[in-house]
Amino acid sequence: MPEEHRLEEHMLSQEAERQISKQLDGAEKIDVDVQTDLLKMFQGQADGVSVAGRGLVMRGIRVQDIKLQTDSVAINPLSVLFGQIELNQPVNTSARVVLTEADINHALTSEFVRSKMPNFELNVDGEIVGLQPQEIQIHLIDNGKMAFTGKVLLTEKGNTRPISFTAQVFPRTEHKPIMLESFNCTQGEGISLEVVVALMQKVKELVNLPYLEFDDVVFRVKNMEVQKNSMTLLVDARVTQIPTMEGNF
């Protein structure tokens, strides 16, 4: 590639790193590579953008490692002059994300993640039963499985009571969905078989969704590789706008 092209890419990549770093609470390392040239740059176009980061922290959520690659990008050139990046077209992105067990469990206690946890309403033989998550902890064990321990509030027939549970699952792969291996109540009066069946059906519906939506990002987890104390995710995403701290967080 001609040197002047590399200079343009380097300058734009440095500015992209600066803008991304402003959105983060911290980062051990971040590298951005914008693939473009002078003409495309002034037209608000790039052949792609790659991001490699380590120890990225945002809103109490830490990512150990991330490698991300987009396809072609079209942005509003004028928006950059005002310190913002507005996409003219959605961008397809693939990412490899490494999370540690400690970072996942710390994130699960953050206000941001707790505000996103759903409350379940289950139809059990015509009666609505509510489950409200209170505490969730994930354990990444060396046999490639994920174990969960947690507490929920169970509301049934107007009565609310706490329930503690443990569960163990096989993670999603490109060929198999998440599979439940075991589910046990460890404290409280327990849950009836009918409630367990309804809960498992709800969980099955959620994990088998073709994609998930979060603000301006639609994504799906293709593969989950679990090792002791860490998990690697392969993710495909379609981004309609670049999220900002002020707008979405």
Side-chain angles (χ1 to χ4, degrees), residues 58-69:
M58 189 175 191
R59 285 285 178 169
I61 301 172
R62 183 181 184 275
V63 174
Q64 176 68 21
D65 287 290
I66 183 170
K67 292 183 178 179
L68 178 151
Q69 177 67 51

Side-chain angles (χ1 to χ4, degrees), residues 6 8-10 21 45 47 51 56 75-76 136 155 189:
R6 288 303 308 167
E8 296 153 10
E9 290 184 352
H10 180 68
S21 296
Q45 298 177 351
D47 295 325
V51 178
L56 308 186
I75 65 172
N76 179 354
I136 303 291
T155 301
E189 298 177 10

Side-chain angles (χ1 to χ4, degrees), residues 18-110:
R18 190 178 73 85
Q19 293 292 337
I20 292 175
S21 296
K22 287 169 58 178
Q23 304 297 320
L24 300 171
D25 297 327
E28 296 175 18
K29 181 180 180 181
I30 183 168
D31 293 312
V32 180
D33 181 23
V34 181
Q35 298 103 44
T36 190
D37 58 37
L38 185 61
L39 177 60
K40 290 178 181 178
M41 185 171 67
F42 281 108
Q43 292 175 336
Q45 298 177 351
D47 295 325
V49 178
S50 61
V51 178
R54 180 183 306 118
L56 308 186
V57 182
M58 189 175 191
R59 285 285 178 169
I61 301 172
R62 183 181 184 275
V63 174
Q64 176 68 21
D65 287 290
I66 183 170
K67 292 183 178 179
L68 178 151
Q69 177 67 51
T70 76
D71 61 9
S72 59
V73 179
I75 65 172
N76 179 354
L78 292 178
S79 70
V80 180
L81 299 178
F82 295 94
Q84 298 178 340
I85 300 177
E86 297 177 359
L87 297 179
N88 285 337
Q89 298 177 358
V91 176
N92 294 319
T93 302
S94 59
R96 179 182 182 273
V97 182
V98 179
L99 303 167
T100 69
E101 179 181 298
D103 289 337
I104 294 172
N105 287 322
H106 184 268
L108 289 173
T109 65
S110 71

Side-chain angles (χ1 to χ4, degrees), residues 1-240:
M1 178 177 292
E3 184 63 29
E4 60 270 20
H5 286 188
R6 288 303 308 167
L7 180 61
E8 296 153 10
E9 290 184 352
H10 180 68
M11 293 175 58
L12 193 56
S13 297
Q14 280 192 322
E15 177 60 20
E17 285 181 23
R18 190 178 73 85
Q19 293 292 337
I20 292 175
S21 296
K22 287 169 58 178
Q23 304 297 320
L24 300 171
D25 297 327
E28 296 175 18
K29 181 180 180 181
I30 183 168
D31 293 312
V32 180
D33 181 23
V34 181
Q35 298 103 44
T36 190
D37 58 37
L38 185 61
L39 177 60
K40 290 178 181 178
M41 185 171 67
F42 281 108
Q43 292 175 336
Q45 298 177 351
D47 295 325
V49 178
S50 61
V51 178
R54 180 183 306 118
L56 308 186
V57 182
M58 189 175 191
R59 285 285 178 169
I61 301 172
R62 183 181 184 275
V63 174
Q64 176 68 21
D65 287 290
I66 183 170
K67 292 183 178 179
L68 178 151
Q69 177 67 51
T70 76
D71 61 9
S72 59
V73 179
I75 65 172
N76 179 354
L78 292 178
S79 70
V80 180
L81 299 178
F82 295 94
Q84 298 178 340
I85 300 177
E86 297 177 359
L87 297 179
N88 285 337
Q89 298 177 358
V91 176
N92 294 319
T93 302
S94 59
R96 179 182 182 273
V97 182
V98 179
L99 303 167
T100 69
E101 179 181 298
D103 289 337
I104 294 172
N105 287 322
H106 184 268
L108 289 173
T109 65
S110 71
E111 181 179 348
F112 176 73
V113 171
R114 289 179 66 85
S115 70
K116 300 297 181 181
M117 285 187 179
N119 295 328
F120 296 101
E121 288 191 348
L122 312 175
N123 190 323
V124 182
D125 296 332
E127 296 284 342
I128 300 299
V129 174
L131 286 176
Q132 181 181 352
Q134 297 293 293
E135 299 177 14
I136 303 291
Q137 291 279 292
I138 292 179
H139 310 279
L140 305 175
I141 45 187
D142 55 8
N143 58 3
K145 301 176 186 178
M146 295 187 294
F148 297 81
T149 58
K151 295 180 181 180
V152 299
L153 291 180
L154 173 69
T155 301
E156 187 176 15
K157 297 180 179 180
N159 297 316
T160 300
R161 53 192 173 89
I163 298 291
S164 297
F165 71 90
T166 63
Q168 194 166 109
V169 303
F170 293 97
R172 176 186 296 279
T173 70
E174 294 190 62
H175 306 291
K176 295 181 180 180
I178 294 174
M179 302 291 291
L180 178 68
E181 182 181 48
S182 64
F183 181 91
N184 298 293
C185 292
T186 58
Q187 186 177 1
E189 298 177 10
I191 305 177
S192 69
L193 179 60
E194 290 79 9
V195 172
V196 172
V197 171
L199 175 60
M200 293 305 100
Q201 182 59 39
K202 175 63 70 173
V203 172
K204 181 180 178 180
E205 292 174 7
L206 292 175
V207 300
N208 287 329
L209 287 174
Y211 59 85
L212 299 171
E213 295 187 46
F214 178 75
D215 292 332
D216 295 309
V217 181
V218 176
F219 68 95
R220 69 184 183 100
V221 177
K222 295 196 306 181
N223 191 72
M224 306 168 70
E225 181 182 341
V226 174
Q227 298 178 331
K228 187 173 179 60
N229 298 326
S230 71
M231 175 167 58
T232 302
L233 306 178
L234 298 182
V235 181
D236 285 339
R238 185 171 177 83
V239 183
T240 57

